[in-house]
Amino acid sequence: MQYRTASFYKEFRCIGGICEDSCCENWEIDLDDASLKNYMKQKGAFGKRLKDNTRVKDKQFILNGTRCPFLNDKNLCDIFIEMGEECLCETCTNFPRHIEEFDNLKEVSLTMSCPEASRIMLAKQEKMTFVCKDGTDAEYGLKHIEPVKSLAFWKKGHVNKLDKSLFDVLFQVRTFMFDVLQNREMPIAKRAAIVLMLACEMQAYIDSKEYDKIVKLLADYQNPENMEKLDTQFAKHTNRVAEKEEWMKQILNMFEGLETIKEEWTDLLRHGMQTMHPCAEYEAAYQEFLTYYKEKEYEYEHILVYYIFNYFLGASYDGDAYTKVKFAVISFLVILELDVAYWLQHEKQFTYEDQVLVAHAYSKEVEHSYNNFESLQLVLSAHPILNVENILVGLLS
């Protein structure tokens, strides 16, 4: 098996009890069959504790309020202490890793829902690069896990099976997307706009299975002479600040409708809505923040690359590349909007640790609730306010 990871992947070490947002709180802990069987056969006082705190039929621990019942008062895991690391279930062993599997390839990332993983990624000033090597699950800190395949239940006639021909084309496209998103000679919003336009145009060819036309389309985008045509298209979506403000309010409202994982996220959203100004003031504050944070624009670059890396190739299972790119772009826009609000709320100060707080809270809300993730994908695929024209206004105005 081959494993592709970001070059910093193996820098991650769980910081345990000193983590400000323990992964052992605020969500259900699903148990794989092997771990459940192992826990249920344990004897003695700890075996009884395991049985008393497990909902066997649902294959879940019974939470103590919002906390795992085995998270002790030092925020350490009693299963780890009593039984050893090898006895942790798949969920606890693999977090904060996100795994996508394509035949003999696993792509593994560190999810931003973990504050420490966010710190590692967002601290890098250099462009994100990836390493692909032969290996084993154990070498990458994993237990066996069923492949993560995007179900995209709203796509008619969907079959959850890898389309290898599409995968090969999407891999080429993703490489180009990385090149565009990491082209620091362009503003980050324009980079995102190019990637969005490409995904929008190629989706029709995916739907009709004309993959050769995607290759031709990609060649057109790679031709520098065609950039002028894109610039002409983009010009129609600039200087429409009032439309952008109203659109962003609708987007934040959409996120307010999701299940709340942590109150911190609700607070960030509420402040985001409250600090949106009347049009002229809003635009001035927004532009001031972009100037203030320009030297750290690479953080948004990393966020976009992260979401494209995690989800784009999943379209080789469900055929919906455009929605996955929209997810990346909307994620960037929402995080940026909440950053601006947080900056205004804190006397126009915004630090690296503040970015970690916002980015990881967003990721925890949308990536680690099945209901939230699938609901968001459905909305992204179908809602009229999330068409390419509106998103370009959100990016470029």
Side-chain angles (χ1 to χ4, degrees):
M1 179 69 74
Q2 288 191 312
Y3 293 77
R4 180 176 287 110
T5 62
S7 57
F8 54 77
Y9 175 82
K10 292 193 176 182
E11 292 180 30
F12 175 77
R13 296 290 183 276
C14 176
I15 60 175
I18 65 171
C19 183
E20 70 270 31
D21 188 14
S22 172
C23 55
C24 305
E25 293 189 71
N26 296 304
W27 46 36
E28 300 288 351
I29 300 167
D30 295 320
L31 302 175
D32 57 280
D33 290 342
S35 295
L36 179 61
K37 182 178 179 180
N38 185 26
Y39 296 160
M40 292 303 98
K41 72 180 183 181
Q42 297 302 308
K43 302 185 184 304
F46 194 70
K48 183 178 186 305
R49 184 179 166 196
L50 282 162
K51 295 177 181 68
D52 289 346
N53 288 281
T54 302
R55 191 179 296 112
V56 176
K57 182 179 179 181
D58 296 331
K59 300 180 183 179
Q60 290 180 337
F61 289 139
I62 301 169
L63 297 184
N64 179 15
T66 62
R67 292 168 64 90
C68 172
F70 300 99
L71 184 64
N72 64 31
D73 57 6
K74 294 181 180 178
N75 278 341
L76 298 174
C77 174
D78 282 338
I79 293 178
F80 185 107
I81 293 167
E82 295 285 338
M83 300 175 65
E85 183 177 6
E86 68 279 3
C87 291
L88 295 177
C89 65
E90 286 179 8
T91 299
C92 297
T93 298
N94 292 339
F95 188 84
R97 300 163 183 88
H98 174 90
I99 305 105
E100 296 273 349
E101 188 168 344
F102 309 97
D103 288 345
N104 67 338
L105 169 68
K106 284 185 181 180
E107 294 199 332
V108 189
S109 66
L110 301 171
T111 63
M112 289 198 302
S113 56
C114 167
E116 185 65 9
S118 288
R119 282 191 193 94
I120 292 169
M121 183 181 85
L122 294 172
K124 306 296 182 186
Q125 296 187 30
E126 64 271 18
K127 297 176 183 179
M128 195 184 302
T129 58
F130 299 91
V131 179
C132 190
K133 293 182 178 179
D134 289 333
T136 65
D137 281 355
E139 290 176 304
Y140 286 84
L142 304 175
K143 273 192 173 180
H144 170 73
I145 189 168
E146 290 300 314
V148 178
K149 302 183 179 69
S150 302
L151 302 180
F153 53 84
W154 60 92
K155 299 284 284 184
K156 292 182 179 179
H158 166 61
V159 177
N160 195 31
K161 183 179 179 181
L162 179 70
D163 183 336
K164 185 61 167 60
S165 297
L166 178 57
F167 172 87
D168 292 340
V169 173
L170 292 178
F171 189 86
Q172 294 180 54
V173 172
R174 190 181 69 172
T175 300
F176 173 71
M177 288 179 170
F178 288 162
D179 289 342
V180 170
L181 292 173
Q182 294 177 326
N183 181 356
R184 297 180 180 180
E185 294 181 2
M186 288 190 286
I188 189 65
K190 182 177 178 180
R191 299 180 233 171
I194 293 170
V195 167
L196 180 72
M197 284 290 294
L198 171 57
C200 180
E201 290 189 57
M202 67 184 280
Q203 187 60 51
Y205 298 138
I206 295 176
D207 292 341
S208 61
K209 296 190 181 299
E210 297 176 285
Y211 301 157
D212 57 323
K213 292 185 179 180
I214 299 175
V215 176
K216 184 179 183 303
L217 177 67
L218 179 60
D220 289 341
Y221 270 79
Q222 290 171 321
N223 184 349
E225 295 179 4
N226 288 325
M227 192 55 63
E228 290 183 12
K229 296 178 183 177
L230 280 177
D231 286 339
T232 300
Q233 288 181 277
F234 292 163
K236 297 183 296 183
H237 301 90
T238 59
N239 301 317
R240 293 162 63 176
V241 179
E243 291 176 57
K244 173 182 178 176
E245 181 183 5
E246 184 57 37
W247 181 77
M248 278 305 309
K249 286 179 180 177
Q250 293 181 66
I251 297 301
L252 294 186
N253 266 325
M254 180 180 75
F255 279 86
E256 280 191 316
L258 299 178
E259 171 193 12
T260 298
I261 305 299
K262 196 176 180 187
E263 288 304 320
E264 177 182 65
W265 167 249
T266 304
D267 293 341
L268 286 169
L269 269 180
R270 185 175 66 251
H271 290 309
M273 295 292 290
Q274 290 173 347
T275 53
M276 279 190 167
H277 294 3
C279 183
E281 295 177 32
Y282 170 83
E283 171 64 4
Y286 198 90
Q287 294 302 322
E288 185 182 349
F289 176 82
L290 293 180
T291 300
Y292 167 83
Y293 215 63
K294 184 173 177 57
E295 294 304 312
K296 292 189 175 180
E297 196 175 59
Y298 60 81
E299 293 176 358
Y300 299 115
E301 172 189 304
H302 294 339
I303 288 167
L304 280 159
V305 170
Y306 163 88
Y307 280 108
I308 294 294
F309 177 73
N310 277 11
Y311 298 105
F312 183 72
L313 289 187
S316 56
Y317 285 105
D318 63 35
D320 197 2
Y322 182 36
T323 295
K324 290 167 180 56
V325 173
K326 284 200 281 186
F327 179 44
V329 172
I330 294 297
S331 296
F332 153 62
L333 284 172
V334 170
I335 290 170
L336 174 57
E337 194 71 36
L338 298 182
D339 287 352
V340 175
Y342 197 95
W343 170 71
L344 286 168
Q345 182 192 359
H346 291 84
E347 300 180 342
K348 296 188 176 180
Q349 296 296 314
F350 191 77
T351 67
Y352 155 71
E353 283 292 343
D354 296 331
Q355 183 71 280
V356 169
L357 183 153
V358 174
H360 114 261
Y362 175 86
S363 173
K364 190 166 188 173
E365 179 74 10
V366 303
E367 292 191 84
H368 289 285
S369 163
Y370 176 83
N371 290 336
N372 283 355
F373 184 80
E374 287 298 320
S375 296
L376 187 56
Q377 302 308 304
L378 175 58
V379 171
L380 286 168
S381 73
H383 201 294
I385 72 165
L386 287 161
N387 62 30
V388 68
E389 299 296 320
N390 287 335
I391 301 175
L392 287 175
V393 170
L395 282 168
L396 300 172
S397 288

